[in-house]
Amino acid sequence: MGKSKQIELATPINMMIKGDYVNNRYLIELRGNRSIREVSRRTGISHTYLTSLEKGLDPRTNNKRKPSFETLRKLAEFYNINIIIFLINIEIISKEEIKEFTSQYNL
């Protein structure tokens, strides 16, 4: 089995973000009957941050959450979802942007 290549995606993903919005309902749906603390333990993401992602707002500033690519990657891996599908479903990138994104990184 070939070694998977590391890709630096932070800049391109951030350039493609359609604003600060993350589809928090999708995150809630994915979690299902798991507790926030279980997801936290298994992903290494704090339970307070996960809660704010699901609510869609930073509790200190009331600004919409804009998670890092690393956070999104951890969640996609935990939920066993292809990262491209995950990014579309949380509305970080659109279906139209996928061709450019996947060809740029040979995904």
Side-chain angles (χ1 to χ4, degrees):
M1 201 181 268
K3 186 178 180 181
S4 71
K5 56 184 172 181
Q6 280 294 91
I7 305 172
E8 178 56 54
L9 295 176
T11 301
I13 287 292
N14 289 339
M15 288 173 20
M16 286 191 253
I17 289 177
K18 303 181 295 181
D20 294 337
Y21 180 75
V22 171
N23 185 342
N24 54 321
R25 288 188 181 121
Y26 180 67
L27 293 176
I28 293 166
E29 184 180 313
L30 283 175
R31 186 166 58 83
N33 62 359
R34 297 176 189 99
S35 72
I36 286 278
R37 288 188 186 267
E38 176 189 351
V39 176
S40 174
R41 277 191 308 274
R42 295 182 63 196
T43 62
I45 303 167
S46 79
H47 69 277
T48 54
Y49 188 69
L50 288 172
T51 298
S52 70
L53 282 178
E54 287 189 2
K55 289 181 178 178
L57 295 173
D58 182 330
R60 295 168 298 195
T61 64
N62 280 333
N63 291 333
K64 292 182 180 180
R65 278 294 190 189
K66 190 173 184 178
S68 69
F69 182 76
E70 182 62 21
T71 297
L72 298 173
R73 184 193 60 75
K74 286 178 181 181
L75 288 169
E77 282 183 8
F78 174 73
Y79 292 120
N80 198 28
I81 299 172
N82 175 286
I83 188 64
I84 300 299
I85 301 302
F86 185 76
L87 293 173
I88 290 170
N89 288 339
I90 60 170
E91 301 177 12
I92 292 292
I93 58 177
S94 68
K95 290 179 183 178
E96 294 77 31
E97 294 165 317
I98 291 303
K99 271 188 180 178
E100 177 186 340
F101 179 77
T102 55
S103 67
Q104 184 176 358
Y105 293 101
N106 298 318
L107 299 176

